[in-house]
Amino acid sequence: MTESTTPTPRSVLVTGSSRGIGAAITADFVAAGHKVAGLSTSGGAPEGALGIACDITDPAAVEAAFAQAEAAHGPIEVLVANAGITKDTLVLRMSEDDFDQVIRVNLSGAFRCAKRAAKSMIRARFGRIIFIGSVVGLYGSAGQVNYSASKAGLVGMARSLTRELGGRGVTANVVAPGFIETDMTAVLGDAISDKYRSQIPAGRFGVVAEVSAAVSYLASDQAGYVSGIVLPVDGGLGMGY
Ligand code: NDP
């Protein structure tokens, strides 16, 4: 590796680090030599990361978790807002609670973490905020009015943060995965999985490492002029949306 591509070790915070995409992102940052804190309700995180139990819907818990991460690793320089949930059902059956819970975790939780991280990023005149959205944020999805609204909201959030903080060396982007093999998609069942697979130009679901690679790029020093984008990792499913 040449000197110009050696990554600067950063203080990184990943939400939803215990499983799936967040665990892969956390492990890859650790392997690249960064100092990584991982938040999840269970407190789990891959080896080498500081696992912190935190429900991101609780403002006091988020503040305490950031304080713990910063005491160990210094001010957060890279935030990956990945924690997310689904509560799928058709719109006429979707309760207020089904809607609110998904928004509270996926959108308000991401906002809370981004706001907290932005403070020190502005001071440092460096920051990388990466939201994990979804192909359905822009494509739409029957049975996911709550979830797709939350993921579309992240696009507006990243673009508004870009306009507010772009002059301070802070970037904000969305990585939009398609169908990725994790606990979230394991519940779909063979018939539904096959139907979705037939619509994906790549002809397969993605793997967590493919999402993590996109996140690593957006977090890198080399991506300092890339902000406000939606980077799909979806095998071509969402092309044009
Ligand atoms: P998983 O269900 O495998 O993992 C979800 C993670 O989020 C877990 O670590 C969980 O922690 C954490 N989490 C959930 N609620 C909270 C909360 N209130 N506070 C803190 N942490 C929380 O999901 P995936 O890895 O599949 O998905 C990760 C992200 O990628 C999500 O935002 C999802 O919407 C998005 N995505 C996933 C796709 C896929 O096909 N898998 C496709 C497109 C987007 P705990 O272990 O404690 O429950």
Side-chain angles (χ1 to χ4, degrees):
M1 199 176 268
T2 65
E3 203 179 328
S4 64
T5 57
T6 303
T8 313
R10 299 288 182 193
S11 170
V12 180
L13 189 144
V14 181
T15 68
S17 57
S18 61
R19 294 182 276 124
I21 293 170
I25 292 168
T26 304
D28 288 351
F29 274 121
V30 170
H34 300 288
K35 299 166 285 179
V36 192
L39 274 52
S40 60
T41 52
S42 58
E47 208 183 323
L50 172 66
I52 302 174
C54 171
D55 180 342
I56 60 164
T57 65
D58 177 348
V62 168
E63 178 52 43
F66 268 77
Q68 191 182 337
E70 292 187 339
H73 299 151
I76 303 304
E77 297 168 290
V78 177
L79 168 70
V80 184
N82 160 81
I85 60 168
T86 51
K87 286 204 172 291
D88 298 353
T89 190
L90 296 172
V91 66
L92 295 185
R93 290 197 202 125
M94 190 173 284
S95 67
E96 290 276 341
D97 203 43
D98 293 333
F99 189 84
D100 287 345
Q101 275 190 41
V102 169
I103 297 293
R104 283 175 61 220
V105 176
N106 298 7
L107 190 58
S108 307
F111 157 73
R112 186 167 296 122
C113 293
K115 179 179 171 183
R116 179 57 177 77
K119 255 195 227 174
S120 51
M121 290 177 178
I122 292 168
R123 216 173 294 132
R125 302 192 74 83
F126 175 90
R128 299 279 186 268
I129 298 172
I130 299 151
F131 297 108
I132 306 301
S134 166
V135 63
V136 306
L138 300 177
Y139 195 73
S141 172
Q144 294 196 303
V145 163
N146 49 2
Y147 181 79
S148 57
S150 74
K151 296 301 189 181
L154 294 175
V155 177
M157 202 180 291
R159 291 183 170 165
S160 299
L161 286 168
T162 292
R163 293 194 189 280
E164 275 194 41
L165 308 180
R168 314 288 189 95
V170 179
T171 66
N173 292 292
V174 176
V175 169
F179 290 92
I180 309 296
E181 290 168 3
T182 68
D183 292 350
M184 195 176 264
T185 48
V187 297
L188 290 175
D190 286 347
I192 295 179
S193 293
D194 287 346
K195 187 179 149 224
Y196 287 141
R197 205 172 283 112
S198 70
Q199 294 165 9
I200 301 168
R204 63 172 178 87
F205 282 12
V207 294
V208 292
E210 291 170 318
V211 181
S212 181
V215 171
S216 296
Y217 167 66
L218 291 173
S220 70
D221 291 356
Q222 289 81 0
Y225 204 53
V226 178
S227 198
I229 70 157
V230 179
L231 177 52
V233 183
D234 63 2
L237 177 63
M239 273 189 299
Y241 287 85

